[in-house]
Amino acid sequence: MPSGDIGFVGLGIMGRPMARNLMTAGYSLTVYDVVGSAMEEIVGDGAKPASSAAEVATAAPIVITMVPDSADSEAAILGPNGVLEGAKEGSVVIDMSSIAPASSQKIAAACEAQGVEFLDAPVSGGEPGAVSGTLAIMVGGKREVFDAHFGLLEAVGSSIVLCGGYGAGNTTKLANQIMVAANIEAVGEALTLAKKAGLDPNTVFEAIRGGLAGSNVLDAKGPMMIAGNFDPGFRIVLHHKDLNNAILTARELGVGLPVTSLVQQMLVSLINEGKGNSDHSAIANFIEDMAGVTIAAD
Ligand code: NAD
């Protein structure tokens, strides 16, 4: 069984089950979240609470961060009372948040300047993947740091791929989020059309899922749309954040993302309707509203 001290910062929908899997694998955890109540559950399971990210880094030579966006990662790692205030030379920071690649590169440079190693290691697989420890992990950073921490990442993921240098994990995650957003939107359009044509969306789902249009997205999100259950999961506001980061990155690179931009606008509309905390399968609501039907049974 592996052992060692790990610090974990950010105990939300994803961080909590990931931290629990690390403890189950045999690691000792010191944890911190800006919202004190977010720590209660995992501290109840045996993790040590800290009063700042700096204190976490003082207690543990490897610190994992799992916070919402670029500004949060920068605050948790570079900010006052952040990880770098407590980290010793030779420590390792693994930021598993989905953030802008340029922000990962900024954090990596600050870590290097202090003799601290860094990996950006965002994940895909959602809350179910976090709970079962089967996340897909996309990593950016140095090969030797990746190799040295592969075993640790295996406690939370089942597919772990080094994609390139600093920021490459998050560039890969943006590619992932573009495909997921467009796929959810297409599933929403398809099932809305079927419903308005008088078909049973569940029959259409079963007929389609074994063919070329079948996908993990269809299997995960189709049943949610059919049930009218939009409990998160992955919140609309977080997918909006990812598409914004994709569009900003594409602008820097001179790449056009027409479909991504369209779905990003749908997410703005859903957020303004008060659906920011719904699961991203609620992208279907935008299409349902235009058609005047719901995919779910009335
Ligand atoms: P969440 O909002 O549920 O949790 C984030 C946690 O970070 C919160 O508890 C918050 O209080 C804490 N936090 C924010 N700033 C902090 C700081 N400076 N210091 C300490 N704690 C801080 O979000 P989540 O769903 O767990 O997502 C976390 C990351 O994982 C995001 O980047 C998200 O895009 C990504 N992600 C989420 C999913 C999913 O299905 N939820 C799937 C894949 C990737």
Side-chain angles (χ1 to χ4, degrees):
M1 215 182 198
S3 62
D5 292 320
I6 306 287
F8 206 106
V9 176
L11 296 152
I13 289 179
M14 298 295 283
R16 271 196 303 276
M18 291 166 71
R20 181 166 301 106
N21 284 334
L22 287 164
M23 285 168 61
T24 305
Y27 296 100
S28 302
L29 256 64
T30 303
V31 299
Y32 172 68
D33 194 292
V34 278
V35 176
S37 58
M39 294 192 280
E40 278 167 14
E41 201 182 302
I42 200 79
V43 168
D45 291 344
K48 280 172 255 159
S51 57
S52 68
E55 197 180 306
V56 168
T58 306
I62 302 170
V63 179
I64 294 174
T65 46
M66 192 55 170
V67 295
D69 199 359
S70 307
D72 308 305
S73 285
E74 291 184 19
I77 300 168
L78 313 180
N81 293 316
V83 172
L84 285 185
E85 279 192 7
K88 301 170 195 68
E89 201 175 328
S91 295
V92 182
V93 176
I94 305 177
D95 185 21
M96 302 192 76
S97 323
S98 303
I99 67 171
S103 178
S104 296
Q105 288 160 356
K106 177 179 168 185
I107 295 169
C111 287
E112 276 202 342
Q114 220 176 292
V116 171
E117 299 291 357
F118 177 79
L119 295 173
D120 53 295
V123 306
S124 177
E127 189 185 14
V131 170
S132 60
T134 56
L135 293 167
I137 310 178
M138 309 147 205
V139 189
K142 293 184 202 156
R143 162 70 64 185
E144 62 271 25
V145 180
F146 173 79
D147 288 343
H149 298 89
F150 192 87
L152 168 67
L153 294 176
E154 275 185 314
V156 293
S158 54
S159 157
I160 306 158
V161 178
L162 181 64
C163 302
Y166 297 132
N170 267 309
T171 304
T172 306
K173 173 69 182 180
L174 293 181
N176 182 87
Q177 293 304 82
I178 289 169
M179 288 191 245
V180 171
N183 202 338
I184 291 177
E185 198 277 341
V187 171
E189 285 192 17
L191 294 180
T192 301
L193 176 76
K195 178 68 182 285
K196 194 143 189 186
L199 276 64
D200 175 2
N202 208 40
T203 306
V204 173
F205 167 74
E206 288 299 337
I208 284 176
R209 60 190 288 252
L212 186 58
S215 67
N216 287 342
V217 167
L218 178 63
D219 281 347
K221 304 302 173 181
M224 293 180 75
M225 295 176 196
I226 292 167
N229 167 18
F230 300 106
D231 295 343
F234 188 65
R235 293 181 293 128
I236 292 266
V237 285
L238 289 178
H239 213 142
H240 176 252
K241 170 262 305 182
D242 289 336
L243 296 193
N244 278 345
N245 285 336
I247 291 164
L248 284 173
T249 304
R251 188 180 298 157
E252 282 164 22
L253 294 171
V255 173
L257 299 177
V259 172
T260 303
S261 304
L262 195 62
V263 182
Q264 187 263 0
Q265 297 288 294
M266 294 179 188
L267 294 175
V268 170
S269 168
L270 291 164
I271 290 167
N272 286 328
E273 267 181 58
K275 294 183 174 169
N277 286 323
S278 295
D279 186 74
H280 55 166
S281 51
I283 292 171
N285 292 169
F286 187 89
I287 312 299
E288 291 174 322
D289 288 350
M290 283 199 296
V293 292
T294 58
I295 297 165
D298 308 314

